Amino acid sequence: MPERVVEVVPEDGLHARPASKFVETANEYDSEVKVGPEDGDLVNAASMLAVTGLGVSGGEKVRISAEGDDAEAALDALEEVLSTPEDEL
Amino acid sequence: MLEDEIDRLMPTAHISLDEPPAEKQLAIEFLLDLVVENGRVTERETALADLKEREKEATTGVGMGIGIPHAKTTAVEAPSVAFARSSEGIDFDAMDDEPAKLLFMILVPEEGGEEHLQILSSLSRALMHEDVREKLLNAEDEETVQNTVREAVN
């Protein structure tokens, strides 16, 4: 299953607008997308409650994985959200 | 860690089983007033403005019938959590379009660092469990709500 480790650039972490953008993006793809700590359990990236529950801070790394026909495209799009400073989102 | 702090964060005075207004902004004010009435908010208008500002950035309707409005604000000196629930559910602009029935408000002091994110993520993880949501929806008194949260954030 395609996966990658990405640093969370927005200063406030995966929270507020970046989190909302992240979950919205995850919902745009058919693949089943997950996110979590680099070495921990992954949760449903398409659920705002699940993503909020991770409590990821800015500068931390997360693992994202995707399973499905558009998995690579989904990971590209999610990586872009995570790599974009909050004021540019 | 958090479970030992529930009495301080969310005293029963911050828990209401009365029906809140059915509109999002008014429901947020209803939650805020629980904390105001408990004497923990120095400036109601400042706290409300900070909550609205956060809401404008992205909704705190996190789906699964839950809304968690929150803000860092100079208007509180101690981190505070309030709870209310709506029998019909409130349109909280959640991505899954589910009306919010369980409402938590988190207010932390401006200099609180990442504390509000820790409270937010602990609460969110607890609320992922259906049995926790059910208990909160069916609780018949404030103590049951408080104890459910205490056990769930373990």
Side-chain angles (χ1 to χ4, degrees):
Chain A
M1 183 178 19
E3 62 167 45
R4 52 187 91 159
V5 172
V6 181
E7 185 182 329
V8 177
V9 169
E11 215 175 306
D12 287 341
L14 207 40
H15 180 67
R17 191 145 36 115
S20 156
K21 194 85 194 154
F22 181 84
V23 173
E24 247 172 55
T25 305
N27 276 295
E28 284 167 10
Y29 294 84
D30 294 328
S31 292
E32 193 190 335
V33 194
K34 293 186 170 181
V35 58
E38 199 176 349
D39 307 308
D41 293 333
L42 305 188
V43 301
N44 180 5
S47 160
M48 193 66 191
L49 186 63
V51 169
T52 304
L54 291 173
V56 178
S57 306
E60 270 184 58
K61 285 183 176 159
V62 293
R63 183 180 302 276
I64 46 177
S65 75
E67 193 165 21
D69 289 343
D70 55 7
E72 287 296 341
L75 291 181
D76 285 345
L78 290 171
E79 181 171 354
E80 194 179 328
V81 174
L82 296 176
S83 309
T84 308
E86 184 165 348
D87 52 13
E88 290 171 29
L89 268 180
Chain B
M1 177 196 84
L2 194 60
E3 66 264 28
D4 302 324
E5 298 175 5
I6 292 300
D7 290 328
R8 174 179 70 90
L9 282 174
M10 196 176 77
T12 50
H14 294 182
I15 299 170
S16 172
L17 299 182
D18 295 337
E19 190 68 23
E23 191 270 327
K24 182 180 175 181
Q25 284 307 328
L26 294 176
I28 287 176
E29 293 195 37
F30 179 90
L31 284 158
L32 173 59
D33 285 335
L34 294 170
V35 188
V36 171
E37 280 154 27
N38 195 36
R40 292 222 197 163
V41 177
T42 50
E43 285 172 70
R44 183 183 186 279
E45 291 317 304
T46 304
L48 187 57
D50 290 333
L51 285 161
K52 282 186 175 168
E53 190 59 33
R54 169 61 186 82
E55 214 62 41
K56 208 161 63 182
E57 193 188 331
T59 181
T60 60
V62 289
M64 300 180 91
I66 296 158
I68 316 181
H70 57 272
K72 268 182 167 182
T73 178
T74 55
V76 297
E77 277 161 21
S80 299
V81 177
F83 171 88
R85 69 181 180 201
S86 163
S87 54
E88 295 299 315
I90 299 167
D91 181 0
F92 243 73
D93 308 313
M95 265 184 242
D96 66 1
D97 291 326
E98 264 201 60
K101 292 188 170 177
L102 296 174
L103 309 173
F104 285 90
M105 171 170 287
I106 306 170
L107 291 171
V108 295
E110 189 67 40
E111 66 279 12
E114 295 207 331
E115 189 170 20
H116 77 302
L117 295 186
Q118 284 164 12
I119 298 171
L120 180 64
S121 58
S122 297
L123 256 184
S124 300
R125 283 196 300 276
L127 292 167
M128 296 276 291
H129 302 285
E130 193 180 352
D131 59 322
V132 172
R133 297 197 299 273
E134 284 300 315
K135 272 190 205 169
L136 292 170
L137 287 169
N138 296 320
E140 287 180 4
D141 52 50
E142 291 80 0
E143 286 75 18
T144 306
V145 171
Q146 195 190 39
N147 287 329
T148 301
V149 172
R150 192 190 335 269
E151 284 161 24
V153 294
N154 263 322

